[in-house]
Structure formats: C-alpha cells, structure tokens
Amino acid sequence: MTSEHETLWNRCAHLGRVLLPLVDQEPWRQARRREHLRAWGIDTAVGERLIETFTALTAHAVAVDASLTGAEFDALPLRSVADAATGKRDYELLAGLPRTFADGRDEHAVKVLLRLRTYAGGQAGLQLFRLSTQVRHALTVVAERSPVPSPTCGDILPAN
C-alpha cells in the first residue's frame, strides 16, 4: 500500500517528468535550453534529468509547507512552485523527502546527484542556481501558455 507521503512525491515527480515536454511544444525552447546547459558545462541528459528532479523537489517542498496531501496536490498553484524554484534554499528542497522511492531514477537523482551538487559548493552550487532558474522559467512558460488564468499543477498534469 502506498503511503500518503509517497503519493504526494509521485505527483510531484510526475509534474517534473511532464514539464519539459510541455515547454518543448515550441521546439526552439528545447534547443535554447540545451545550448545553455552545454555552455554551463552540464551534460544535456544529466541537466534535463536534474531539471525534472528539481521541479519535483520544489513542488514537493511547497506542498509539504502547505500541508497538502497527494489528493490536494492538483490545487497547488504553478506560480507558487515557480517562485519557490529560485526562492527556496537547497536544504529546504531536501527536507521532508520520502525515505524510499518507488522509481530508482528518482532516488538516484535526489540522493546522489542533487545532494552531491548541493554540498559541493563552488561551481556545483552555481550550476544548481542555473538549473533553478531553468525550472522557474519552464513553469512560468507553461503557466503563461495555459488558458486558465491562474493555473494549478492539476491544470497541466495529464490524467493518470
């Protein structure tokens, strides 16, 4: 049986996985993002996976701060997640994570890549900041493109 906390994380991870495909409806956005990642010395595949994970971490942190359940996650405003992407500290994003992850890719990205980059400082810290701006930008693009005036996470997530 899936715990409520796991359900919430799974919804956040789902948001992370759908975000870049939604942004990439305009192909030039993908090309520009990949150009930025290369210029910053970040492997494209790794960078895009980190953007997915960073999105999930940010959404999760905002949802936990608001005491939302997995069922209530769909009501979380995209703007709140976008603001938190650059407004929350790295350690705030790591607080309250599930102890285990159903998806091994999530566990690897969170426990290894982001934690190493978070605590490494220097260039890695700069790369995390750059990735956070990419997350904020992507969420803002999707929110502005939405036909709904103040879109929520549920407005952009496809039905499961």
Side-chain angles (χ1 to χ4, degrees):
M1 178 177 244
T2 304
S3 75
E4 184 56 43
H5 200 83
E6 290 169 339
T7 300
L8 177 60
W9 171 257
N10 290 337
R11 294 297 289 159
C12 296
H14 186 59
L15 175 66
R17 284 189 279 280
V18 303
L19 182 62
L20 292 181
L22 287 171
V23 170
D24 293 348
Q25 289 177 7
E26 298 166 303
W28 64 268
R29 291 188 185 277
Q30 180 185 59
R32 182 176 290 167
R33 178 181 62 251
R34 289 178 173 179
E35 181 181 307
H36 284 139
L37 290 171
R38 283 189 298 274
W40 297 335
I42 301 172
D43 176 78
T44 302
V46 170
E48 289 182 346
R49 179 65 181 128
L50 286 172
I51 289 169
E52 284 180 20
T53 305
F54 209 103
T55 301
L57 287 169
T58 303
H60 186 266
V62 174
V64 167
D65 285 351
S67 300
L68 298 179
T69 65
E72 298 167 326
F73 177 75
D74 287 357
L76 185 64
L78 275 181
R79 181 66 59 198
S80 296
V81 180
D83 290 345
T86 54
K88 285 197 173 283
R89 304 281 306 188
D90 302 335
Y91 61 85
E92 292 177 291
L93 299 177
L94 297 172
L97 287 174
R99 294 187 193 281
T100 60
F101 295 86
D103 184 336
R105 289 178 359 130
D106 290 342
E107 184 171 14
H108 182 263
V110 170
K111 290 186 175 179
V112 178
L113 295 175
L114 281 178
R115 285 188 178 162
L116 284 176
R117 289 178 180 261
T118 298
Y119 299 117
Q123 183 67 21
L126 178 58
Q127 287 179 341
L128 269 181
F129 174 74
R130 289 172 170 163
L131 291 169
S132 73
T133 62
Q134 288 293 305
V135 170
R136 181 183 178 98
H137 177 72
L139 288 164
T140 301
V141 166
V142 170
E144 288 174 352
R145 194 184 289 154
S146 174
V148 179
S150 294
T152 64
C153 292
D155 291 328
I156 67 162
L157 286 173
N160 283 349

